[in-house]
Amino acid sequence: MKRYVIHGGRPLRGEVAVSGAKNAAASILPGTLLIDGICRISNVPEISDVKLTIEIMERLGAKVRFTEPGTIEIDGRAVRPQLVPPQLGSRMRASHFFIGSMLGRFGCASAPLPGGCDLGERPIDQHLKGFSLMGASERIEDGIVHVSVPGPLSGREGNGRLKGSRIRFDMVTVGATMNLMLAAALAEGTTVLENAAREPHIIDLAGFLNAMGADVRDAGTETITINGVPSLKGGEYRLIPDQIEAGTYMAAAAAAGGDVKLTGVIPQHMDCISSVLRKMGAEIEEGSDFITVRKRNRVAGADITTLPYPGFPTDLQPQLAAVLCTAEGRSKVTESIWEDRFHYTEELRRMGADITVCGKTAVIEGVSKLHGTAVEACDLRAGAALVIAALAADGKTEIGQVGYIERGYQDMVGKLSGLGADIHLEE
Ligand code: EPZ
């Protein structure tokens, strides 16, 4: 069993390069299967979720190869409509994006109900509602979702293409917005997505699709228009930097203290976390593609509520809570996206944190120090929060279940060691 061993109490100093965005790769890699040709994607993070995605792509017939570190070439010409292997697809939330891309290209798709971090209920009803408004019918049998439109492959008369439609989501959903963008790129006619999510990775997906010949407009606003085109061509695309990875290292600097420069970031994507950390007393400096975080004194507590972009991201909620554990005074952290994203607080309490969870809000009374102990990551961002707490704590912390962390962070141990942290991986 792998674990991270961290001796805390050392300030972080130096530069760290931010990797490509996990949640952009999550939809763009499956999106390459829309293309009957070759495309090259760069700035792909080396994380286990990407490895799993590539494995699924290969099982569906794509030829995938790394041309250099972080750049992959995908030849989708031999891709055929077939079941996303259940034992692979069920391990990852983003496997549902293969439904959008296969349905868009072939008019039919089958995939297991997606897995992913345990954050409470994670239905896909909005995805299915969108496909159905575009003329598809679906059934779920033995944990497998089958979606198809009338056409040669479904045995029903039709041309196998989805029909453009107006789709209004009942709530802001990143996954359904992206899945419907994928499905609509090759649909017949115009699709309008209302109440769409506006995260940076939504704009990135639109950028990728347009670079391949699609016609996606107004991504980043709450109404996205996709004019379907008959086919997409191959091409090249570079993924944006990971907003959440960058925010995690900003939080780490605010917790452990020191002076950290994050390079290769888009500072506007970080506005929300920058403004919270500034209010807490950290010094934040921004350049065109870098952010510096300096923290000398104990930070002040803060109240935050997670919201869809441009609000405070739920995927940084646990990491910020870890910083607030040793902030001065009382803080309140309210989770408004997921019903159950406070599992990690139990582990932080074992390190001496004073946290009480009441429904959707965690109340944190800042303590002057946390202490190291043995803890377990229970999901990706929970794991990142424990690393942050351990960097700030007195003594030795051992974090188990770090496979969760490796799903979404490229070389976290190497990056933190480069900043002077005392951290190593034990197998
Ligand atoms: C994406 O999940 C991210 N995952 C999550 O990041 C992130 O927390 C989330 O967006 C919100 O930003 C990936 O990109 C792989 P949603 P997703 O659809 O798409 C409800 C991480 O740590 N909903 O925006 O699954 C849902 O239950 C991960 O990197 C429905 O009710 O999230 C939730 O309450 C964890 N029906 C809310 O909407 C649906 O059909 C937002 O979910 C879809 C969603």
Side-chain angles (χ1 to χ4, degrees):
M1 183 85 85
K2 292 204 282 193
R3 58 197 173 147
Y4 291 170
V5 179
I6 300 174
H7 289 92
R10 298 170 70 145
L12 303 177
R13 291 189 200 287
E15 276 190 30
V16 60
V18 172
S19 301
K22 163 179 113 55
N23 287 346
S27 66
I28 289 175
L29 294 180
T32 62
L33 301 197
L34 282 164
I35 299 156
D36 188 9
I38 299 176
C39 50
R40 190 171 291 172
I41 310 293
S42 56
N43 206 25
V44 178
E46 285 172 36
I47 52 177
S48 62
D49 267 13
V50 161
K51 281 192 196 122
L52 189 54
T53 305
I54 291 175
E55 225 178 308
I56 296 175
M57 291 162 72
E58 288 175 334
R59 294 283 287 273
L60 296 175
K63 293 197 173 58
V64 185
R65 70 184 182 100
F66 276 84
T67 54
E68 55 186 285
T71 300
I72 57 176
E73 190 178 84
I74 302 116
D75 180 348
R77 285 176 295 186
V79 171
R80 293 289 167 262
Q82 49 190 313
L83 172 66
V84 170
Q87 71 281 15
L88 301 180
S90 58
R91 282 167 37 201
M92 188 175 68
R93 178 71 182 173
S95 60
H96 57 30
F97 293 128
F98 288 103
I99 302 181
S101 62
M102 301 297 273
L103 183 63
R105 179 163 165 190
F106 298 108
C108 67
S110 300
L113 284 166
C117 291
D118 177 13
L119 312 172
E121 276 291 298
R122 298 188 76 174
I124 57 164
D125 58 300
Q126 299 299 304
H127 305 234
L128 298 179
K129 166 180 139 174
F131 298 143
S132 140
L133 285 168
M134 296 183 76
S137 47
E138 99 265 345
R139 69 194 155 83
I140 302 180
E141 240 172 53
D142 300 328
I144 307 286
V145 189
H146 304 273
V147 192
S148 63
V149 286
L153 293 172
S154 70
R156 288 170 289 145
E157 202 170 318
N159 65 0
R161 284 179 79 189
L162 290 158
K163 306 277 175 284
S165 173
R166 180 172 288 273
I167 299 159
R168 185 172 179 81
F169 298 115
D170 299 343
M171 77 284 296
V172 178
T173 143
V174 173
T177 301
M178 289 176 136
N179 223 348
L180 270 299
M181 287 166 73
L182 291 169
L186 292 177
E188 216 167 42
T190 298
T191 301
V192 178
L193 305 178
E194 295 176 347
N195 199 23
R198 294 182 283 159
E199 269 64 9
H201 32 289
I202 304 273
I203 301 175
D204 212 29
L205 175 59
F208 157 75
L209 290 170
N210 289 341
M212 304 298 144
D215 182 359
V216 181
R217 301 184 184 188
D218 302 327
T221 74
E222 59 189 34
T223 305
I224 301 176
T225 302
I226 303 125
N227 297 309
V229 295
S231 65
L232 297 178
K233 57 183 170 49
E236 298 194 1
Y237 195 74
R238 182 177 171 81
L239 301 182
I240 52 166
D242 196 310
Q243 176 208 27
I244 305 301
E245 189 202 22
T248 300
Y249 291 116
M250 290 172 76
D259 187 340
V260 171
K261 182 175 182 183
L262 291 115
T263 59
V265 295
I266 299 178
Q268 302 89 283
H269 291 171
M270 309 311 300
D271 280 350
C272 203
I273 174 101
S274 296
S275 77
V276 170
L277 291 177
R278 273 194 189 111
K279 273 192 206 135
M280 290 165 65
E283 288 170 40
I284 313 279
E285 197 188 306
E286 289 172 8
S288 57
D289 63 352
F290 70 86
I291 293 191
T292 306
V293 183
R294 276 185 215 102
K295 180 243 172 177
R296 292 191 188 91
N297 305 314
R298 189 173 177 193
V299 292
D303 292 347
I304 58 154
T305 299
T306 63
L307 286 170
Y309 191 82
F312 192 90
T314 172
D315 294 346
L316 283 174
Q317 180 260 100
Q319 299 90 315
L320 195 83
V323 183
L324 294 171
C325 287
T326 50
E328 187 104 45
R330 172 181 295 187
S331 302
K332 278 190 193 159
V333 175
T334 303
E335 173 57 52
S336 79
I337 309 288
W338 298 112
E339 60 182 24
D340 203 2
R341 200 169 201 173
F342 286 125
H343 295 299
Y344 67 90
T345 55
E346 204 165 304
E347 299 302 286
L348 288 178
R349 271 196 291 274
R350 288 154 50 73
M351 297 177 72
D354 181 349
I355 310 182
T356 315
V357 177
C358 188
K360 292 202 152 216
T361 300
V363 178
I364 304 173
E365 301 287 350
V367 295
S368 57
K369 266 286 171 197
L370 296 176
H371 53 80
T373 185
V375 287
E376 297 273 305
C378 60
D379 65 57
L380 166 60
R381 310 301 173 188
L386 295 177
V387 170
I388 291 169
L391 292 170
D394 274 342
K396 174 178 164 185
T397 303
E398 295 185 1
I399 304 176
Q401 301 282 8
V402 296
Y404 283 119
I405 300 177
E406 293 173 352
R407 290 181 67 158
Y409 289 92
Q410 177 173 329
D411 190 22
M412 186 184 256
V413 169
K415 289 187 183 190
L416 285 171
S417 300
L419 294 174
D422 183 346
I423 174 170
H424 68 270
L425 174 70
E426 259 179 31
E427 302 273 351

